[in-house]
Amino acid sequence: MQGHLPLLTSIRGFAAFFVALFHTRLVLFPQWKENIANTSQLLENGYLWVDIFFILSGFVMMHVYRNSFQQGCTMAKWRHFMWLRFSRIYPLFLMTLLFLLGWESIKHVYGIGFYGGELLNSWGLAGIPAFQGPFNTSDTLFANLFLLQSLTSQALSWNFPGWSLSVEWLCYMMFPIILALLSFNAKRSSWLPILVFFLLYGLISTTGTIDLTSGIPAFLRGLCGFSLGAWMCLIRIPHNIKRFISNDWVLFALVISLVLLLHHKLGTGQILSVYLLFALLVFCGANHTQNTSLFMRLFDNKLTQYLGDISYSVYLWHSVLLLIGVEVINQLAPEFTLWWYQQSGLGAFALALALYTVVLLTISTASYHLLEKPALRQLRSLQITKLATRIKKTSKTNSNNLTTK
């Protein structure tokens, strides 16, 4: 397996964009939602792309940190690992949370009620006072600050896609236990994928869906994907198998199969099939060796890799843009929002989608370069400084001891 896993970066970018479209259809163009769903279920099934995040995360965590933990897991190693993950996910999440908090405060001062478009209006979610819902509630702020919202009954609060970050944060805490259970050996832990699909089947059978975002079911959903990804990273395959899965037709077949499945309404068996295809796509992508093939040129070029680089910003800013954007427009030009939701032409739909995409990618690009990367460097340099100071103190103590002797 390569040290760098570029195709996985591209997959993450596509997944983030599909999740953004899944939410956008409810707020920006609900008037086309039914027609789109009658034509294809691709957007209706967009929630499933969150699961590939969990699989990717487990795979990458094992790929990056396996050697560090293989010699034994100490409290110091675990703290170091958690700090590295904190420095990666928390600064941007906190910024978006503060952004939403600031806007909610403005709404409170000026008496602006919630507005989320015509579809949410039809659900009775209109005019709700600031800090009282449906997403930005004062009683869920504390849980969000500590990334614990997924354990509550109101996981879809504030920056609502953050429920998956909360689950992932809990998976990070469990990482040493997952490593111990897997024994750093795919063969000895071959029971894990069986258990994962058994648990997923149980979740879908009892709840009727895998779109679970709160409580123990949401945690189990995330843990299944995270553990499966970590286990797949331990699999060692011979060169002839690598050559086989590096053929373009294998990856094309996986992608086409995914599209065909997601095109239709999904039952339990189809959802599990999508999950399996997600796992195979991650595994084959990570072990792909022909970097100049047609598939790689189409799906793993500079553009798709950059989309993967900014995918975290896309994931967290798209909901902020939707929640605040539609309220701001409605305040400034209520007649425009009334006019907009009466539009039904494909031209208006294409224009709105293109404009939203441009604005989202622009904000995400700025966020990636001006916030994500600088915050990551700053927080990780703090730990390096602390480590250097600790080493210096230890060396000084040892030197004093030798002098005394």
Side-chain angles (χ1 to χ4, degrees):
M1 192 181 299
Q2 307 168 66
H4 185 47
L5 305 171
L7 185 56
L8 301 195
T9 301
S10 299
I11 291 172
R12 192 170 66 242
F14 285 115
F17 191 66
F18 273 112
V19 172
L21 290 180
F22 173 72
H23 294 133
T24 304
R25 86 198 198 288
L26 300 176
V27 177
L28 188 59
F29 44 83
Q31 62 269 44
W32 289 284
K33 180 180 178 294
E34 188 175 339
N35 288 335
I36 294 171
N38 289 336
T39 304
S40 173
Q41 290 283 305
L42 272 171
L43 290 188
E44 296 297 312
N45 293 324
Y47 69 91
L48 282 165
W49 289 95
V50 174
D51 292 284
I52 206 170
F53 284 137
F54 294 131
I55 297 171
L56 281 166
S57 183
F59 194 101
V60 172
M61 291 305 102
M62 181 63 82
H63 180 73
V64 174
Y65 297 105
R66 174 177 51 201
N67 291 337
S68 173
F69 283 103
Q70 203 155 12
Q71 304 304 319
C73 178
T74 62
M75 184 58 72
K77 282 184 180 179
W78 181 77
R79 282 200 307 266
H80 177 66
F81 167 75
M82 292 302 293
W83 176 258
L84 292 177
R85 302 321 305 153
F86 174 87
S87 65
R88 176 69 184 93
I89 70 171
Y90 196 72
L92 180 58
F93 173 73
L94 179 62
M95 178 57 71
T96 60
L97 184 61
L98 292 175
F99 213 86
L100 288 166
L101 181 61
W103 172 242
E104 206 67 13
S105 299
I106 293 172
K107 287 168 60 181
H108 178 72
V109 171
Y110 290 97
I112 300 172
F114 175 79
Y115 180 76
E118 288 304 301
L119 181 63
L120 273 67
N121 274 9
S122 69
W123 293 349
L125 303 176
I128 302 171
F131 293 106
Q132 293 183 34
F135 302 107
N136 303 342
T137 59
S138 54
D139 58 339
T140 57
L141 189 56
F142 181 84
N144 274 266
L145 279 170
F146 289 91
L147 284 175
L148 297 174
Q149 67 268 38
S150 66
L151 296 178
T152 72
S153 59
Q154 294 177 289
L156 299 180
S157 54
W158 295 92
N159 195 348
F160 55 85
W163 74 268
S164 65
L165 296 183
S166 174
V167 168
E168 192 157 327
W169 181 247
L170 296 173
C171 288
Y172 293 156
M173 292 183 180
M174 297 282 292
F175 191 50
I177 298 173
I178 294 170
L179 290 174
L181 290 172
L182 295 180
S183 305
F184 296 95
N185 188 294
K187 276 188 178 180
R188 286 204 297 267
S189 54
S190 56
W191 51 267
L192 185 127
I194 299 170
L195 177 62
V196 161
F197 280 93
F198 178 78
L199 283 173
L200 290 172
Y201 177 78
L203 286 172
I204 300 168
S205 299
T206 54
T207 63
T209 181
I210 200 176
D211 190 15
L212 308 167
T213 57
S214 64
I216 298 301
F219 173 64
L220 288 176
R221 175 189 180 185
L223 188 62
C224 281
F226 189 89
S227 301
L228 182 63
W231 176 80
M232 288 194 304
C233 187
L234 296 173
I235 299 174
R236 291 292 170 262
I237 54 176
H239 289 294
N240 60 326
I241 302 297
K242 273 196 176 187
R243 283 196 300 272
F244 171 75
I245 64 176
S246 293
N247 287 323
D248 268 3
W249 68 266
V250 174
L251 287 171
F252 273 120
L254 286 174
V255 170
I256 292 169
S257 299
L258 261 176
V259 171
L260 289 175
L261 270 174
L262 293 170
H263 174 67
H264 298 284
K265 201 164 186 177
L266 303 177
T268 301
Q270 291 92 340
I271 292 174
L272 292 175
S273 297
V274 168
Y275 208 95
L276 177 61
L277 289 172
F278 278 158
L280 290 174
L281 184 61
V282 170
F283 182 75
C284 292
N287 287 281
H288 197 276
T289 57
Q290 296 181 13
N291 295 326
T292 58
S293 68
L294 175 62
F295 184 91
M296 297 298 277
R297 289 199 300 272
L298 287 174
F299 292 97
D300 193 41
N301 49 58
K302 288 183 179 180
L303 183 62
T304 58
Q305 283 188 29
Y306 189 72
L307 179 61
D309 288 338
I310 66 171
S311 61
Y312 186 48
S313 283
V314 170
Y315 189 69
L316 285 185
W317 281 113
H318 83 269
S319 49
V320 177
L321 182 58
L322 288 172
L323 290 174
I324 296 180
V326 72
E327 287 186 329
V328 169
I329 293 172
N330 189 55
Q331 284 299 308
L332 297 177
E335 66 285 349
F336 174 79
T337 54
L338 184 64
W339 170 85
W340 168 249
Y341 288 116
Q342 292 173 349
Q343 302 308 300
S344 58
L346 287 178
F349 168 73
L351 181 62
L353 183 58
L355 182 61
Y356 174 76
T357 300
V358 169
V359 173
L360 176 60
L361 293 181
T362 301
I363 292 173
S364 299
T365 298
S367 170
Y368 175 68
H369 290 287
L370 300 178
L371 177 60
E372 268 193 78
K373 290 177 73 175
L376 182 67
R377 284 195 300 267
Q378 187 66 31
L379 287 174
R380 293 193 174 179
S381 68
L382 284 176
Q383 190 175 49
I384 292 172
T385 304
K386 283 175 67 178
L387 183 60
T389 304
R390 193 180 304 157
I391 292 171
K392 190 175 180 180
K393 283 182 179 178
T394 304
S395 300
K396 188 175 180 181
T397 302
N398 291 340
S399 177
N400 290 338
N401 289 340
L402 286 172
T403 304
T404 304
K405 289 179 181 177

